[in-house]
Amino acid sequence: MKGKRKNIQYFFIYIIMLAASAFLIFGGVKQLMMTQDLKASIEQKKEEKKNLNSKKKELEKTKQNLTNPDYVEYIARGKYLVTKEGEQVFKFPSKDD
């Protein structure tokens, strides 16, 4: 009888150890997946930061150019067809038309 009872105790200990191991393994896998997601997110944010820094440099260059009266005149004449008094503007079709 004592041998059978001892076997039952070992069986329950075995089940408890198996459940604890499964719980720890599941938790570890979950943590690994979360780590991979965070690494991917970090890489995405680094790429986004790189693109934003590039755009910032372009905008700073444009801002600097807008303080130059010659550049402003060039843009106004070319893009918006602004003329001086007495001038005539002729617009020729581009190759795209």
Side-chain angles (χ1 to χ4, degrees):
M1 191 76 162
K2 285 189 178 187
K4 192 173 186 181
R5 186 173 183 186
K6 202 165 204 165
N7 284 342
I8 292 174
Q9 287 177 344
Y10 284 139
F11 178 73
F12 283 121
I13 290 173
Y14 175 74
I15 296 294
I16 291 171
M17 295 294 280
L18 187 62
S21 297
F23 178 75
L24 292 174
I25 290 171
F26 177 74
V29 169
K30 190 174 178 182
Q31 288 295 321
L32 285 174
M33 290 174 54
M34 187 184 304
T35 302
Q36 291 297 328
D37 289 343
L38 289 174
K39 283 182 181 180
S41 177
I42 288 170
E43 289 300 318
Q44 181 183 5
K45 297 299 180 187
K46 283 182 181 179
E47 186 67 30
E48 189 177 322
K49 180 182 175 184
K50 181 180 172 185
N51 291 337
L52 288 174
N53 283 337
S54 173
K55 188 169 183 170
K56 179 183 174 186
K57 286 180 183 179
E58 290 175 18
L59 289 172
E60 286 175 351
K61 184 177 179 183
T62 302
K63 177 184 172 186
Q64 185 178 8
N65 285 338
L66 288 175
T67 60
N68 183 352
D70 294 331
Y71 179 77
V72 173
E73 182 180 350
Y74 169 77
I75 295 296
R77 288 174 162 271
K79 191 172 183 180
Y80 301 108
L81 302 176
V82 174
T83 61
K84 292 182 181 178
E85 190 174 323
E87 279 186 333
Q88 289 183 350
V89 176
F90 298 98
K91 186 171 181 180
F92 298 101
S94 65
K95 292 181 181 180
D96 296 337
D97 293 340

